[in-house]
């Protein structure tokens, strides 16, 4: 059986865009969905009902909140949202028929400026220590990391003017600290592993410039990885969010 896992930033809670977001998720046919910027719990509840999925919603450290949906039962969950692990990491244990799978749904602080990247580097370290203590077994890290992986391009000249002005504060330099900390700990970047020559931009529809959203697999899940792609071919994507969903597939014998 193929297990389909998706991460999607639904932009400021998704209020007023329930129909579009629901249509995107229905078309993706994912079994597990990690939502970031899931700021409106009513939207999350409505999506879970429409998709006939169990769900957990949890508050982040500020105005940005987080949720995980699953076609399989959710047996345990816990939110981690204290510094340095901000905005949030939502740990969800999902009872697959074969064995539990733990999802760490992550949303880190925005902006590519160096002070924010240092905070994300600290958050990555806190996440690794957390996982080391909790020993979750097979697991995935997914979500909007707001960080850039080694070798990834950022098309800054196509970014909105406000973002170009922000990046001008550090002469357009991109610092890559947070994601290498996770990759060096043994996680696999699912998209980059299967598509080494593609950009995989997840931000934003109509003018993709940056890859902020990732699915990282531990050693067990890496062996099961069969596919990973950015969903960029649905008609309602530009109306649903300012991010594109990222979908990975894993092979299981149930």
């Amino acid at each position: 059986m193929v297990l389909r896992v998706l991460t999607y930033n639904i932009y400021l809670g998704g209020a007023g865009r329930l129909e579009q977001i629901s249509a995107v998720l229905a078309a993706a046919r994912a079994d597990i969905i990690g939502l970031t910027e899931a700021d409106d719990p009513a939207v999350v509840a409505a999506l879970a009902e429409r998709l006939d999925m169990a769900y957990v919603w949890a508050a982040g450290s500020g105005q940005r909140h987080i949720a995980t949906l699953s076609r399989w039962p959710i047996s345990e969950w816990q939110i981690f949202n204290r510094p340095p692990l901000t905005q949030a990491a939502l740990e969800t244990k999902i009872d697959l028929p074969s064995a539990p799978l733990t999802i760490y749904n992550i949303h880190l602080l925005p902006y590519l400026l160096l002070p924010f990247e240092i905070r994300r580097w600290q958050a990555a370290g806190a996440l690794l220590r957390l996982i080391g203590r909790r020993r979750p077994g097979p697991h995935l890290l997914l979500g909007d990391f707001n960080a850039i992986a080694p070798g990834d391009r950022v098309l800054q000249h196509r970014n909105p003017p406000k973002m170009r002005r922000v990046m001008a504060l550090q002469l357009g330099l991109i610092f890559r600290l947070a994601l290498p900390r996770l990759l060096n700990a043994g996680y696999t970047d699912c998209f980059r592993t299967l598509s080494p020559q593609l950009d995989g931009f997840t931000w934003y529809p109509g003018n993709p410039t940056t890859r902020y959203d990732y699915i990282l697999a531990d050693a067990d899940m890496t062996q099961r990885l069969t596919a990973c792609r950015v969903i960029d071919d649905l008609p309602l994507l530009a109306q649903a969010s300012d991010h594109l969903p990222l979908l990975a597939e894993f092979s299981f014998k149930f």
Side-chain angles (χ1 to χ4, degrees), residues 6 18 34 43 45 67 74 87 94 105-106 113 127 138 154 161-162 173 193 212 217 251:
L6 181 137
L18 177 61
V43 169
I74 295 172
Q87 303 181 55
I94 296 172
N105 188 10
I106 312 297
L113 298 177
L127 179 62
V154 178
K162 178 181 178 181
L173 296 174
T193 295
Y212 289 130
S251 177

Side-chain angles (χ1 to χ4, degrees), residues 67-80:
T68 301
L69 289 68
S70 173
R71 298 198 188 281
W72 304 103
I74 295 172
S75 59
E76 300 176 29
W77 69 273
Q78 189 165 345
I79 186 68
F80 302 93

Side-chain angles (χ1 to χ4, degrees), residues 9-230:
N9 181 316
I10 60 172
Y11 184 58
L12 302 181
R17 289 173 280 112
L18 177 61
E19 297 296 332
Q20 294 91 334
I21 296 169
S22 179
V24 169
L25 293 178
R29 298 182 295 107
D31 302 297
I32 298 171
I33 300 171
L35 298 179
T36 51
E37 292 197 27
D39 306 336
D40 188 336
V43 169
V44 174
L47 290 170
E49 181 177 9
R50 290 182 178 212
L51 297 168
D52 192 23
M53 301 177 84
Y55 78 95
V56 171
W57 178 92
S61 57
Q63 295 180 321
R64 304 281 79 85
H65 308 312
I66 199 160
T68 301
L69 289 68
S70 173
R71 298 198 188 281
W72 304 103
I74 295 172
S75 59
E76 300 176 29
W77 69 273
Q78 189 165 345
I79 186 68
F80 302 93
N81 57 12
R82 302 282 182 87
L85 194 46
T86 53
Q87 303 181 55
L90 175 58
E91 179 191 81
T92 309
K93 182 176 286 186
I94 296 172
D95 288 340
L96 301 181
S98 56
L101 172 66
T102 301
I103 301 294
Y104 289 92
N105 188 10
I106 312 297
H107 192 194
L108 301 184
L109 293 172
Y111 303 115
L112 297 182
L113 298 177
L114 179 58
F116 292 89
E117 182 67 359
I118 291 173
R119 292 291 300 278
R120 289 187 289 269
W121 177 84
Q122 293 171 333
L127 179 62
L128 291 173
R129 292 190 293 273
L130 168 70
I131 293 171
R133 292 194 305 270
R134 297 181 69 81
R135 300 182 182 275
H139 61 281
L140 298 171
L141 316 181
L142 55 86
D144 180 357
F145 288 77
N146 274 313
I148 309 302
D152 276 9
R153 298 192 304 159
V154 178
L155 305 185
Q156 296 191 56
H157 65 284
R158 286 170 44 178
N159 275 336
K162 178 181 178 181
M163 187 168 291
R164 294 202 301 270
R165 289 194 296 270
V166 168
M167 289 305 297
L169 297 174
Q170 62 184 24
L171 305 178
L173 296 174
I174 304 273
F175 296 94
R176 305 159 200 262
L177 306 174
L179 282 165
R181 191 167 196 178
L182 297 173
L183 298 174
N184 291 339
Y187 289 96
T188 296
D189 178 347
C190 293
F191 178 84
R192 181 57 61 223
T193 295
L194 298 180
S195 303
Q197 304 302 320
L198 300 181
D199 286 311
F201 295 142
T202 60
W203 190 85
Y204 57 93
N207 182 30
T209 68
T210 317
R211 183 164 77 115
Y212 289 130
D213 304 271
Y214 295 82
I215 299 176
L216 306 182
D218 75 342
D220 183 279
M221 293 300 291
T222 296
Q223 293 179 357
R224 301 176 183 274
L225 176 66
T226 59
C228 188
R229 72 179 185 95
V230 178

